[in-house]
Amino acid sequence: MNEERLRALPESKRALFEGLRARRSRGGQPHARAAAGVDQLRRGTGTPVVLVHPVGGELFCYGELTRRLPAGFPVYGLSADHMLRDPEPPELTALARHYVDRLTRAGIRPALVVGWSFGGMVAYEMVRLLSRGGRPCRVVLIDSMPSSASGPEAETDLLGAGLLRRFVSDLRQSGGARPEGLDTGDEAWSLPPEEALRALHGRLVAQLGAAGMSLDDLRARLRVYANASLCLRRHHPAPGGPPLRLLWAGETAGDLSAWWRDTAPSPITGERVAGDHYSLLRPPAVEDVARFVHEALEEEQHGD
């Protein structure tokens, strides 16, 4: 990331990125962790917390949450890698297995795996695999549930003309912008996503506040977003699974615990948080999210 793009980031995301860059430049990560592609978001000596990327593949959304988690616990992050950049999307369970392997290669045995949105679905499947492998841990889902539609028609719609709009809207809102500020009046938006991206590149960079983001950067991010979206659309969680802690956004979602009780009839601790899907990870809502995650860590420590 160049300096112009770095300055355009919100303070918490800029601090997270600068911390990652500093640790990598001075060799702050043990080789096994770096080789496995596991980012250390915060140092600590306790049992690790692992954060799983959302649909866009990046970890910047967790900047505010990382700052508010209790001291002492190291915090690691899993960002998207080659599995979501390949031409075809993986099955979500295969992606979860790959991420568990990344943690294993890095020598990380988490006490808690946390994921927002798409990341929550991956976190749930990761903890299912870890538990089956004799490494039980807790899981927290932040406004997460599978896509409601499936089948060839739903996938055609998902990858159609609206893909680029959804992708750009997600980038904007993840960065704190409101969706209504997006200019979609140009007829180039109706082109196939790759052509539209090329035609609209300069304008998108300006609207995203991402000076210096190349066309290749945007193209790679779009591939991750599209593959993760398809991965989620095709996923149907198997019955059963680990106990979970679940948060949902009061402004944009109903009580998600009702859906999860039908799908995963394990013990569920659920809570509504005031805010929408994106504002959950920003003040003031993120204070409630951090408290909820802290409670899960205390349960793990005390064996509740």
Side-chain angles (χ1 to χ4, degrees), residues 214-280:
S214 71
L215 179 59
D216 285 342
D217 289 336
L218 277 174
R219 187 178 288 120
R221 286 178 176 237
L222 178 61
R223 171 64 62 85
V224 167
Y225 178 87
N227 278 346
S229 298
L230 271 178
C231 181
L232 181 63
R233 179 64 58 89
R234 295 170 179 173
H235 182 61
H236 302 284
L244 62 90
R245 278 182 154 265
L246 173 69
L247 291 172
W248 61 90
E251 293 180 11
T252 52
D255 183 350
L256 297 186
S257 63
W259 185 92
W260 278 102
R261 286 190 182 96
D262 290 339
T263 303
S266 300
I268 295 173
T269 302
E271 187 174 313
R272 174 188 178 275
V273 177
D276 63 33
H277 183 65
Y278 291 93
S279 68
L280 286 184

Side-chain angles (χ1 to χ4, degrees), residues 81-84 89-102 122 125-126 129 231 235:
D81 65 5
H82 65 88
M83 280 199 78
L84 284 173
E91 292 184 355
L92 194 142
T93 50
L95 184 66
R97 187 174 297 109
H98 173 63
Y99 286 0
V100 167
D101 289 344
R102 284 169 62 179
V122 180
E125 295 299 339
M126 288 175 64
L129 292 167
C231 181
H235 182 61

Side-chain angles (χ1 to χ4, degrees), residues 17 23 32 43 63 94 111 157 160 183 188 203 219 228 245 279 284 295:
F17 180 85
R23 280 192 286 276
R43 293 181 178 277
D157 176 66
D183 177 13
R203 195 177 315 165
R219 187 178 288 120
R245 278 182 154 265
S279 68
E295 290 170 358

Side-chain angles (χ1 to χ4, degrees), residues 3-262:
E3 294 304 317
E4 194 174 1
R5 280 178 60 193
L6 182 60
R7 287 193 297 271
L9 290 173
E11 180 182 355
S12 63
K13 297 183 180 183
R14 185 167 63 250
L16 184 64
F17 180 85
E18 288 175 337
L20 285 171
R21 183 168 63 177
R23 280 192 286 276
R24 290 171 180 172
S25 66
R26 64 174 180 261
Q29 282 185 293
H31 176 73
R33 290 173 187 165
V38 180
D39 288 311
Q40 187 175 44
L41 306 182
R42 197 187 69 186
R43 293 181 178 277
T45 57
T47 311
V49 177
V50 173
L51 305 177
V52 185
H53 69 83
V55 69
E58 303 287 344
L59 296 168
F60 297 126
C61 60
Y62 293 122
E64 296 284 356
L65 177 60
T66 300
R67 290 169 56 188
R68 288 167 172 79
L69 291 180
F73 294 92
V75 181
Y76 295 97
L78 289 166
S79 56
D81 65 5
H82 65 88
M83 280 199 78
L84 284 173
R85 295 190 180 98
D86 287 343
E88 290 296 321
E91 292 184 355
L92 194 142
T93 50
L95 184 66
R97 187 174 297 109
H98 173 63
Y99 286 0
V100 167
D101 289 344
R102 284 169 62 179
L103 293 180
T104 302
R105 292 198 306 274
I108 297 169
R109 181 169 180 165
L112 177 67
V113 184
V114 180
W116 169 56
S117 195
F118 171 81
M121 295 305 303
V122 180
Y124 180 76
E125 295 299 339
M126 288 175 64
V127 171
R128 187 202 296 265
L129 292 167
L130 287 164
S131 298
R132 288 178 179 173
R135 294 178 288 170
C137 65
R138 308 277 173 161
V139 62
V140 172
L141 277 58
I142 305 171
D143 218 32
S144 301
M145 67 177 293
S147 174
S148 59
S150 61
E153 290 184 3
E155 290 191 8
T156 299
D157 176 66
L158 183 70
L159 298 178
L163 172 65
L164 187 59
R165 287 184 175 87
R166 290 191 298 271
F167 165 68
V168 173
S169 179
D170 181 74
L171 275 179
R172 282 176 53 81
Q173 292 184 84
S174 295
R178 300 299 302 173
E180 56 267 19
L182 180 63
D183 177 13
T184 59
D186 196 300
E187 62 182 19
W189 284 93
S190 62
L191 295 171
E194 283 283 345
E195 294 179 37
L197 201 62
R198 192 178 306 111
L200 295 167
H201 170 240
R203 195 177 315 165
L204 290 178
V205 166
Q207 290 187 19
L208 292 170
M213 185 181 288
S214 71
L215 179 59
D216 285 342
D217 289 336
L218 277 174
R219 187 178 288 120
R221 286 178 176 237
L222 178 61
R223 171 64 62 85
V224 167
Y225 178 87
N227 278 346
S229 298
L230 271 178
C231 181
L232 181 63
R233 179 64 58 89
R234 295 170 179 173
H235 182 61
H236 302 284
L244 62 90
R245 278 182 154 265
L246 173 69
L247 291 172
W248 61 90
E251 293 180 11
T252 52
D255 183 350
L256 297 186
S257 63
W259 185 92
W260 278 102
R261 286 190 182 96
D262 290 339

